[in-house]
Amino acid sequence: MLVLSGGTGTPKLLMGLKELMKPEDLSVVVNTAEDIWISGNYISPDVDSVLYSLADMIDVKRMWGIKGDRTVTYDYLIALGIKETLQVGDRDRAVHIFRSDLMREGASLSQATEELAKALGIMQHVVPMTDNEVSTMLYTPEGLMHFQEFWAERRGKPEIINILFGGLKEAKPSPGFLDLLEKEDTVLIGPSNPVTSIGPILKLPGVREKLAEKKVIAVSPLVGDKPVSGPIAKLMTALEYPVSDEGVREMLGKVDLFIVDKKSSYEDDCLRMSTRMKTKVGSIAVAKEMLELIKEHS
Ligand code: GDP
Ligand code: FO1
C-alpha cells in the first residue's frame, strides 16, 4: 500500500499501520512543500515526522521533533542574537546536518532520505514527493511569507489571502514516487491537510492521472467536522472551500473509499469509524479498524 502523508495526522496513523503491516507492504510518499533552509541546514518537517514516527522516536504530543530532545543550540543562538524560524531540537538538528551534508555532496533529497531512514533503522520505504525545491508561500496583508513563518513564527495569526506553491509547476515527482505509482494498486491518502500537505503531492505533474487507475482510499483530517490541529480551516476558507468533509473530498478529487470520523455530519457515500488518535495505542486501534474496513470493502 502507498500512503500519501503530511506531517501530523498521517504519521499518527503510520505509527499504527507499521505495527500491523509487513514493512515491505507499507510505502510512504511525503509532502516536501513545507521544507525550509535554517542556519545552513535543510529541514524537511513532514519527512522527519514520518521518519521519527516509524522509528518510534517522535515527540507524540507535538508530532514534530524527537522525544526528550533539548534546545541548547537553539537557545544559545538566541543569546547570540539569532532567532531561528523553527525551534530546532539538538538531536533533530543532527538529523538535519546528516541530510544537508549529503545534499551538499550532491545527493538528492530522495537519496539523503534513504540514507537517513537506513541510519534510523526504518524498514519501510519513505520517499519525498519530489527532489525539486517547492515552497508553500502565503499572501497575507503583511506581504508574502513562507508557511513556516506564518505557522511557527506568527502562530498562524495573519489573514491568508491566497496560497502560492513556489516551484511546484516546474517540479517532478521523485523517482521513488514514480516507481511506487507504477507498482502499487492501492493508495491511501492519510488524514492530512488537503491544502498544504496532500495538495502539493496531487498537483505534481502526472500524479492525478496515475491515481485515476488506482483504488484510492482517503481518510478525512476532520474529526466531528472540525480539525484537530493545524491551519486547515484558514487555508480551506482562503481557497473558498467549506471546512467540512464535503470540502475535503471535493479538494482531493477521485476517491473510491472515503473514511470519515463517526461524529461527522457528512452523509454521502462514505465509511465511518472513530479516527481520533491520541496515543500510540490509539493509533494501532484506528489502523486495525481501518485495515479491516478497507478489506471488507475491497
Ligand atoms: P501538517 O503537515 O502538520 O499540516 O500535518 P498533516 O497535514 O499531516 O496533518 C494535519 C491534519 O491532521 C489536521 O487537519 C488535523 O485535523 C489532522 N489530524 C491530526 N490528528 C488527527 C487524528 O487523530 N485523526 C484525524 N482524523 N485527523 C487528525
Ligand atoms: N512547529 C511550530 O509550531 N513551532 C516550532 O518551533 C516548530 C519547530 C519544528 C522543528 C522541526 C520540525 O521538523 C518541525 C517543527 N515544527 C514547529 C512543525 C512545523 O512547523 C509544522 O507543523 C509542519 O511543517 C507542518 O507539517
Side-chain angles (χ1 to χ4, degrees), residues 104-221:
R104 279 185 278 268
E105 284 162 18
S108 64
L109 179 61
S110 294
Q111 289 164 334
T113 305
E114 198 177 331
E115 288 301 315
L116 196 48
K118 218 187 289 169
L120 296 175
I122 293 163
M123 318 269 280
Q124 292 80 6
H125 196 181
V126 179
V127 175
M129 66 175 198
T130 181
D131 285 331
N132 304 114
E133 264 185 57
V134 177
S135 300
T136 301
M137 305 294 295
L138 305 173
Y139 288 100
T140 76
E142 297 160 46
L144 194 63
M145 59 177 79
H146 190 282
F147 175 85
Q148 299 296 357
E149 187 186 344
F150 162 79
W151 182 243
E153 218 167 64
R154 302 295 314 282
R155 309 254 164 249
K157 292 222 170 74
E159 185 196 330
I160 301 173
I161 300 164
N162 209 344
I163 304 164
L164 170 80
F165 295 107
L168 189 59
K169 270 200 198 119
E170 301 77 35
K172 289 197 274 312
S174 62
F177 188 11
L178 288 174
D179 190 40
L180 287 165
L181 282 172
E182 287 304 319
K183 280 209 295 245
E184 298 287 345
D185 297 324
T186 305
V187 177
L188 175 71
I189 301 179
S192 281
N193 188 324
V195 184
T196 47
S197 295
I198 303 301
I201 304 179
L202 298 180
K203 282 192 174 76
L204 284 166
V207 171
R208 279 198 189 276
E209 289 76 356
K210 270 293 185 196
L211 292 189
E213 304 162 11
K214 315 279 172 195
K215 180 183 172 93
V216 180
I217 302 154
V219 185
S220 175

Side-chain angles (χ1 to χ4, degrees), residues 6-12 34 46 191-193 197 220-223 227-229 232 275-277:
T8 303
T10 309
K12 286 185 192 173
E34 291 169 16
D46 290 1
S192 281
N193 188 324
S197 295
S220 175
L222 303 183
V223 176
V228 174
S229 59
I232 182 173
T275 65
R276 183 75 175 107
M277 296 161 280

Side-chain angles (χ1 to χ4, degrees), residues 93-113:
R93 191 184 299 275
V95 166
H96 305 154
I97 293 171
F98 180 109
R99 166 191 297 123
S100 311
D101 272 350
L102 286 170
M103 290 171 74
R104 279 185 278 268
E105 284 162 18
S108 64
L109 179 61
S110 294
Q111 289 164 334
T113 305

Side-chain angles (χ1 to χ4, degrees), residues 7 34 43 45-46 48 64 86-88 92 147-148 151-152 155:
E34 291 169 16
I43 307 193
D46 290 1
D48 288 344
W64 53 267
L86 296 177
Q87 188 189 37
V88 178
D92 192 24
F147 175 85
Q148 299 296 357
W151 182 243
R155 309 254 164 249

